[in-house]
Amino acid sequence: MRDISKYYGNVQALDGVSLEVHAGEITCVLGDNGAGKSTLIKIVAGLHQHDGGTFTIEGEETRLGSPREALDRGIATVYQDLAVVPLMPVWRNFFLGSEIHKGRGPLRRLDVAAMRATTHRELLRMGIELHDVDQPIGTLSGGQRQCVAIARAVHFGAKVLILDEPTAALGVKQSGVVLKYVAAARDAGLGVVLITHNPHHAYLVGDRFVLLKRGAMAGSHAKDEIALEELTRQMAGGSELEQLSHELARTPAPDLSGGVAKG
C-alpha cells in the first residue's frame, strides 16, 4: 500500500499511509484508539475501498470489492471478536462456510469424519493439541480460540494473515501462547499483519513496524533500526508524554504561614 487515503464524508480517516507485507515476515501496525488501524484493516480485508493512493498485490494494482474477493486473493482477516459460534464444536467452527460434503443429490451430506480429522491434524501441525475437537469452541480460552482461527486461515491457503488486536483481552500467559502461533504462521511462509497497541508484544515477534497517529504515518521502521525503548516512546507520544510529565511533576508547596513568628 502506497500513500493510502480514506474519507468518510468530510472526515479524513487515513492520510498518506504506506504498508508493506512480505512472505515470512510480520509487519506490526501500532497506534492508539482512533489512530486509523481499523480503517486500514477494512481496506486490506476488502470491506472498504481506498480513496487515494495505490494498493498492489503481487505486483498487480488492485481495488478489492468484498471480503470474499480478498479471501480469493489469499488475504485472511482474524478480527478481535473472532466471529465464532460458541455453542458449535471446534471442528464445525473450523470449517464454517467451507464445509466438506460427500455424496450427491439428495444423498449429499456433511462429511463430519473428514472435517473432524482435518481439524485435529491441522491444529496439531500448528502445535495446538486439543483432546476433543467436538467440544464447543466457547469452552476454549480466548488464546486457544485465537489459535484455532490462525490455524484455520493457514489451512485454507491464506498468503497474508491480518490479526486485529489478538492479545488485547488476554492475560500474560495467554498472550504468549497467541504470539507463539503468530510466529508459527510466519514460519509457515505467510505474511502477517499484527494490529496492536502493545509495543512489547509487537517487538517480540515483529520484523517491521508502522506507527499510526490520527490517521497519518508517525513512523516506519525495520526491527534492526529501532530499539524497544524508542518504539515505546514513539508509540506513547514521545514529546507529548514528556510535556505531560512536566505538567504533572510535583511543585514545592506554597508557604502558607504568612511569615507569622511562632511564640
Side-chain angles (χ1 to χ4, degrees), residues 91-153:
W91 67 266
R92 193 74 173 83
N93 275 278
F94 192 91
F95 280 93
L96 199 61
S98 303
E99 291 81 3
I100 300 174
H101 294 85
K102 62 181 178 180
R104 293 184 178 182
L107 297 178
R108 190 171 185 262
R109 61 198 183 280
L110 293 176
D111 192 342
V112 174
M115 287 189 282
R116 281 178 177 149
T118 301
T119 300
H120 190 260
R121 183 181 68 247
E122 290 302 307
L123 292 179
L124 273 180
R125 194 161 70 90
M126 289 287 291
I128 306 166
E129 189 165 357
L130 287 182
H131 296 300
D132 184 12
V133 294
D134 279 309
Q135 69 186 95
I137 199 168
T139 64
L140 302 182
S141 69
Q144 287 174 318
R145 290 197 298 272
Q146 286 281 356
C147 298
V148 170
I150 292 170
R152 181 184 191 278

Side-chain angles (χ1 to χ4, degrees), residues 222-236:
K223 189 168 188 174
D224 57 5
E225 296 173 348
I226 191 169
L228 173 59
E229 292 75 14
E230 177 61 17
L231 183 67
T232 304
R233 192 188 75 83
Q234 290 189 20
M235 170 73 187

Side-chain angles (χ1 to χ4, degrees), residues 16-74:
V17 174
S18 296
L19 178 72
E20 283 186 28
V21 183
H22 297 274
E25 287 188 4
I26 297 174
T27 300
C28 298
V29 179
L30 299 105
D32 274 331
N33 293 334
K37 305 190 301 295
S38 294
T39 302
L40 188 66
I41 291 174
K42 288 171 182 174
I43 293 173
V44 181
L47 279 166
H48 293 171
Q49 293 190 345
H50 54 289
D51 296 317
T54 57
F55 183 5
T56 306
I57 301 174
E58 295 181 321
E60 177 188 347
E61 188 171 337
T62 189
R63 185 177 288 268
L64 297 174
S66 68
R68 173 55 60 184
E69 194 175 329
L71 278 170
D72 291 342
R73 297 297 299 269

Side-chain angles (χ1 to χ4, degrees), residues 22-28 125-128 146-147 150-151 154 161 163 166-167 174-194 201-207 223:
H22 297 274
E25 287 188 4
I26 297 174
T27 300
C28 298
R125 194 161 70 90
M126 289 287 291
I128 306 166
Q146 286 281 356
C147 298
I150 292 170
V154 172
L161 177 62
L163 299 165
T167 61
Q174 287 293 321
S175 294
V177 170
V178 171
L179 291 175
K180 184 172 81 169
Y181 296 119
V182 171
R186 172 200 63 201
D187 295 341
L190 277 71
V192 180
V193 180
L194 176 64
H201 290 169
Y203 205 79
L204 280 172
V205 296
D207 296 292
K223 189 168 188 174

